Amino acid sequence: MKETFRKKITIVIPLLISVIIFLYVCGPRCLNPTNIDWLFEGDSAQHYLGWAFFKNSPWSFPLGLNPDWGIENSSSIIYADALPIFSLLFKCFYPFLPDTFQFYGIWFLTCFILQAFFSWRLLSLFKVNLFLKTFGTLIFTLSPIIFLRLGGHQSLTAHFLILWCFCLYYGHISIRNSIEWIVCLSLSLACHPYFSFMCLVIFGAYVVKEFLNERTIQTFWKLLVLCLLCFISIFFTAWQIGLFVSTAQPSAVSGYGHFKFNLNGFLNPLGQSFFLKTLPHGAGDYEGFAYLGLGLILILFVVLILDGSNGFKQTKKIINRSLPLCVSLFFLFLLAVSNNVSFGNWNINLFSIKGGSFIQTFRAAGRFIWPIWYFLCLYAFVLMQQLINERIISFKFSAILIIILSSIQIMDFNDFIHDQIRHQLMTSNSNKWGAQSKDWIILRKKYNEIRLLNNPGLSYPKWRELSLIAVNNKMKTNVSYLARGDSNVLKERMKIDELLLRDCNFNKNIIYVITDKNIIDLGKCLKEPQIIKKIDGFNLLLCNSFYH
């Protein structure tokens, strides 16, 4: 009976906490799969459009290729930040999906649920009592470093992957543990490469820990086989989601040292706190946002004072159990701080970095602070449990303290959640994307492509609007907005476009988008049935028009 009850609360309590927090933070409207109004701002449009084009395109191999968005400069869903794991999953149901369909609200709910479950599992490994485990799960799930990503970086909300890695680290080598590592590492790449790198660093700590604990040939071979299987699984996942496509060239712009963690970051709310004011910081320090929340700061302060009065004995036990992990977290901390060390407005550039594939790929290195945030949260609740076990504090005192400080934590973020996050995610029927002319219904019967002549790439200001027109009418387009592209392809295409404009040798199955200057230049060479028509603010060159 007790075992059955324990299993039930292991499911029911994390599920209730996660659903309540999701509804409190996000609200229910983002769960409506046909509501895309809240996805217009920031990078959300890129993510939705990447998925929408992928949904409409035929299956390819590798599976993640997305040829209809960008055409000659297209790449894959990973470079549209279109959450490959869900894009591939929901594309399987394409025949049953409406034309307008987004899964990001469902993804948020999934992340909150998994965040709560892995928080509960992690705290259970340290035998934290039910009361502390419940409030610990609440604090883990009500994570401010997730809040910042809800409005524009949907794939970066998968913080449950970090907690999952922590759970596996504190486990021991076994068939189940090994399978979970393989799945976790592959899934992390199918969510976002930043998570993949963080998880790999923690996995490295796990391998070191297991070998140091056993130091036998048998353990060495087990770990070697596990590493090999993980490498194969990650490589296969990377291949299938399109990470190796030829047009995905590293960015020429490096933000490493700009998008970093400021050393005051754990105490700097950057406008999210009700109680604390924003501290001085650099322009790119938001990528290293790691404010703990006033409630968690006070919990850490209290348990450190209590443990310090006893010679930090319990802290030493936690560190000894977590030594390889602490080393790996320190490595991530150094990467997050970067070569451009900052404390408030003060900063010093320790050394210069010219570039390199790692720097170009992980230029927003401030994000590597996230595992340290979760470890500090874990440390606070595990230390409190150990203080109870050693009778340094009573359960009653800890319960009162946690209730008060958890309430402060919630109050600290309430205004930010209500005024910014919830306000955006509850957007509905605002028609932010703009209305589209009924002329497109006629045009899509004769054309299968929309092409912007002399496409400048990422600097084209109307990429959202034109891409949405194309995807809504099941056309492909050379206009796109991708994390990686090939500028040489664009340059070569511009040469071809100049010849087209000179010779007027246009493809009758393509709608060409041209500038006002192009209209003047084309005035003399257009031939029947070629015409220029303005629709939804775009100058369209039509070679097979219905308008004659």
Side-chain angles (χ1 to χ4, degrees):
M1 183 68 73
K2 287 184 178 180
E3 186 64 29
T4 303
F5 176 73
R6 190 178 293 110
K7 287 182 179 179
K8 285 182 179 178
I9 62 173
T10 299
I11 296 173
V12 172
I13 294 179
L15 185 61
L16 280 175
I17 289 173
S18 58
V19 171
I20 290 170
I21 290 177
F22 167 78
L23 293 174
Y24 165 62
V25 174
C26 302
R29 287 183 183 169
C30 62
L31 288 173
N32 177 1
T34 61
N35 176 19
I36 63 170
D37 289 315
W38 63 281
L39 293 168
F40 181 79
E41 304 293 342
D43 292 335
S44 298
Q46 175 200 32
H47 307 160
Y48 168 71
L49 289 166
W51 146 248
F53 276 100
F54 180 68
K55 171 175 68 76
N56 290 345
S57 64
W59 282 103
S60 58
F61 195 84
L63 300 175
L65 298 184
N66 198 9
D68 290 352
W69 200 32
I71 308 178
E72 64 273 353
N73 203 31
S74 65
S75 56
S76 61
I77 46 174
I78 188 68
Y79 293 111
D81 276 348
L83 193 58
I85 184 65
F86 262 39
S87 290
L88 290 166
L89 174 64
F90 280 94
K91 185 168 180 172
C92 297
F93 303 99
Y94 168 72
F96 310 103
L97 301 180
D99 288 340
T100 300
F101 179 89
Q102 60 83 16
F103 47 63
Y104 293 106
I106 301 170
W107 168 246
F108 288 164
L109 178 58
T110 302
C111 287
F112 277 106
I113 291 173
L114 292 175
Q115 183 89 352
F117 272 99
F118 284 115
S119 301
W120 186 274
R121 176 178 168 182
L122 180 60
L123 292 168
S124 297
L125 291 172
F126 288 86
K127 297 181 180 179
V128 174
N129 67 60
L130 180 61
F131 183 84
L132 283 182
K133 193 156 47 178
T134 300
F135 279 88
T137 299
L138 172 68
I139 299 298
F140 270 111
T141 309
L142 197 67
S143 169
I145 54 177
I146 294 180
F147 298 163
L148 197 66
R149 305 296 164 178
L150 291 170
H153 295 131
Q154 284 77 14
S155 56
L156 288 175
T157 58
H159 290 218
F160 67 87
L161 292 164
I162 298 170
L163 299 178
W164 191 1
C165 286
F166 282 0
C167 291
L168 296 176
Y169 172 86
Y170 288 110
H172 296 288
I173 191 165
S174 64
I175 293 176
R176 175 177 173 176
N177 193 277
S178 298
I179 292 172
E180 285 196 51
W181 270 120
I182 293 168
V183 174
C184 179
L185 293 174
S186 300
L187 185 61
S188 67
L189 186 57
C191 290
H192 203 286
Y194 277 89
F195 285 120
S196 183
F197 182 80
M198 288 182 264
C199 292
L200 278 169
V201 171
I202 299 171
F203 173 69
Y206 166 79
V207 171
V208 172
K209 181 206 75 167
E210 286 300 304
F211 181 72
L212 292 178
N213 285 345
E214 300 294 334
R215 300 194 183 191
T216 63
I217 294 297
Q218 186 179 13
T219 301
F220 172 79
W221 284 111
K222 284 182 180 178
L223 292 171
L224 185 63
V225 170
L226 175 59
C227 290
L228 182 61
L229 291 174
C230 287
F231 172 77
I232 293 171
S233 179
I234 291 170
F235 183 85
F236 180 79
T237 302
W239 173 39
Q240 287 303 309
I241 63 177
L243 196 66
F244 305 133
V245 294
S246 59
T247 54
Q249 301 298 319
S251 173
V253 180
S254 176
Y256 190 81
H258 177 72
F259 299 114
K260 64 187 184 304
F261 172 72
N262 193 302
L263 291 176
N264 68 11
F266 291 124
L267 304 176
N268 193 349
L270 296 184
Q272 287 200 23
S273 174
F274 175 77
F275 298 105
L276 302 182
K277 293 182 179 180
T278 297
L279 301 175
H281 60 280
D285 291 352
Y286 69 91
E287 283 290 4
F289 174 75
Y291 176 56
L292 293 168
L294 183 58
L296 183 54
I297 290 170
L298 292 174
I299 293 172
L300 283 165
F301 177 77
V302 171
V303 294
L304 277 170
I305 292 294
L306 292 170
D307 192 38
S309 66
N310 197 36
F312 294 105
K313 290 181 180 178
Q314 305 310 316
T315 295
K316 290 175 184 177
K317 288 180 182 179
I318 296 172
I319 292 175
N320 287 337
R321 185 176 177 182
S322 312
L323 193 55
L325 177 61
C326 289
V327 173
S328 71
L329 294 180
F330 183 67
F331 170 66
L332 289 173
F333 174 80
L334 293 178
L335 288 177
V337 171
S338 82
N339 61 310
N340 188 24
V341 181
S342 297
F343 185 83
N345 287 330
W346 175 89
N347 71 283
I348 180 171
N349 196 309
L350 297 177
F351 51 89
S352 60
I353 298 177
K354 294 182 179 179
S357 58
F358 178 87
I359 299 303
Q360 291 168 332
T361 301
F362 298 110
R363 56 185 182 265
R367 298 169 184 175
F368 293 140
I369 202 67
W370 297 342
I372 292 91
W373 192 100
Y374 288 110
F375 184 79
L376 289 173
C377 189
L378 174 67
Y379 167 77
F381 283 91
V382 172
L383 183 55
M384 183 166 288
Q385 179 62 55
Q386 292 185 353
L387 292 173
I388 294 171
N389 294 345
E390 296 296 318
R391 298 186 178 180
I392 297 172
I393 59 173
S394 66
F395 172 77
K396 185 177 180 180
F397 172 80
S398 69
I400 294 171
L401 181 69
I402 286 297
I403 289 172
I404 293 172
L405 298 186
S406 295
S407 300
I408 290 175
Q409 184 83 349
I410 294 170
M411 290 172 60
D412 199 22
F413 297 114
N414 182 68
D415 287 356
F416 177 77
I417 289 170
H418 183 270
D419 296 341
Q420 296 192 45
I421 303 172
R422 190 178 174 86
H423 175 73
Q424 179 183 341
L425 299 185
M426 286 290 282
T427 299
S428 182
N429 300 322
S430 64
N431 201 25
K432 284 188 175 183
W433 293 86
Q436 293 180 8
S437 171
K438 293 181 180 179
D439 289 338
W440 293 107
I441 299 174
I442 300 172
L443 293 173
R444 70 185 183 189
K445 295 177 181 178
K446 281 287 184 179
Y447 298 94
N448 57 21
E449 180 181 331
I450 300 176
R451 175 169 289 278
L452 173 66
L453 292 180
N454 292 321
N455 178 15
L458 299 181
S459 62
Y460 181 58
K462 291 189 175 182
W463 63 270
R464 285 185 190 86
E465 294 83 353
L466 197 57
S467 294
L468 187 69
I469 289 170
V471 79
N472 282 352
N473 292 282
K474 292 184 169 56
M475 300 181 192
K476 54 188 177 180
T477 180
N478 67 327
V479 173
S480 62
Y481 194 90
L482 301 168
R484 297 289 184 273
D486 191 341
S487 59
N488 292 325
V489 171
L490 290 176
K491 290 175 183 177
E492 289 300 317
R493 185 64 218 187
M494 282 187 177
K495 294 177 183 178
I496 297 173
D497 289 347
E498 289 298 328
L499 292 175
L500 278 175
L501 289 167
R502 187 192 68 187
D503 301 333
C504 291
N505 188 22
F506 300 106
N507 189 317
K508 66 178 182 179
N509 296 317
I510 298 175
I511 298 174
Y512 294 93
V513 180
I514 58 176
T515 64
D516 291 337
K517 182 180 180 300
N518 294 149
I519 294 176
I520 298 172
D521 295 339
L522 288 170
K524 297 179 181 179
C525 73
L526 287 183
K527 306 170 185 177
E528 290 288 344
Q530 296 171 344
I531 65 165
I532 295 172
K533 186 173 179 65
K534 193 157 194 170
I535 301 177
D536 291 336
F538 296 101
N539 297 320
L540 306 181
L541 172 60
L542 307 172
C543 303
N544 192 10
S545 176
F546 279 88
Y547 295 100
H548 291 284

